[in-house]
Amino acid sequence: MTGQVYQLRYPLTIKLRSGADEREERIESVTLRRPTARDMRLIDDFAGRPMAMTLAMIQALSGLEPHVVDRLDAEDMTALGELVGDFIPDGQETGETD
């Protein structure tokens, strides 16, 4: 399944712990995979809460942990949200009703 890579304008450095060991990891890009039908259920789960839905979709499609998504710069989060939106098909057009 193909995805899209986004280079962060404001990279993150996160601390990772494994037992007593701690190390830092720098995140410079985020890869978003194409959504599945299961991912699309998030739209209903967060209906009326567009920011929460965007953050949940970024998390689901990138595999990033919630605490990492929460640390994204607003500019990067907005750009990733636009990429998520590009994956979601527009609703069906409906005609006028009598």
Side-chain angles (χ1 to χ4, degrees):
M1 197 178 272
T2 61
Q4 191 149 1
V5 178
Y6 172 77
Q7 292 297 127
L8 295 175
R9 293 197 57 167
Y10 303 94
L12 303 173
T13 300
I14 60 170
K15 291 184 181 184
L16 301 172
R17 290 190 187 106
S18 177
D21 296 331
E22 186 176 294
R23 66 180 176 87
E24 291 187 344
E25 181 177 316
R26 187 160 171 85
I27 300 174
E28 297 184 1
S29 65
V30 174
T31 300
L32 297 176
R33 64 172 172 76
R34 291 189 50 79
T36 63
R38 181 180 184 161
D39 297 318
M40 299 302 283
R41 290 182 188 188
L42 291 171
I43 295 170
D44 288 341
D45 292 346
F46 292 97
R49 298 174 33 217
M51 185 59 62
M53 190 272 299
T54 298
L55 292 171
M57 289 294 280
I58 291 170
Q59 180 186 337
L61 301 182
S62 69
L64 293 173
E65 295 291 329
H67 69 276
V68 176
V69 173
D70 287 345
R71 291 198 44 217
L72 290 170
D73 182 86
E75 188 174 327
D76 287 322
M77 187 277 310
T78 300
L80 286 164
E82 289 173 5
L83 291 175
V84 166
D86 290 345
F87 285 135
I88 299 170
D90 293 334
Q92 239 180 344
E93 290 186 14
T94 58
E96 292 182 26
T97 57
D98 293 328

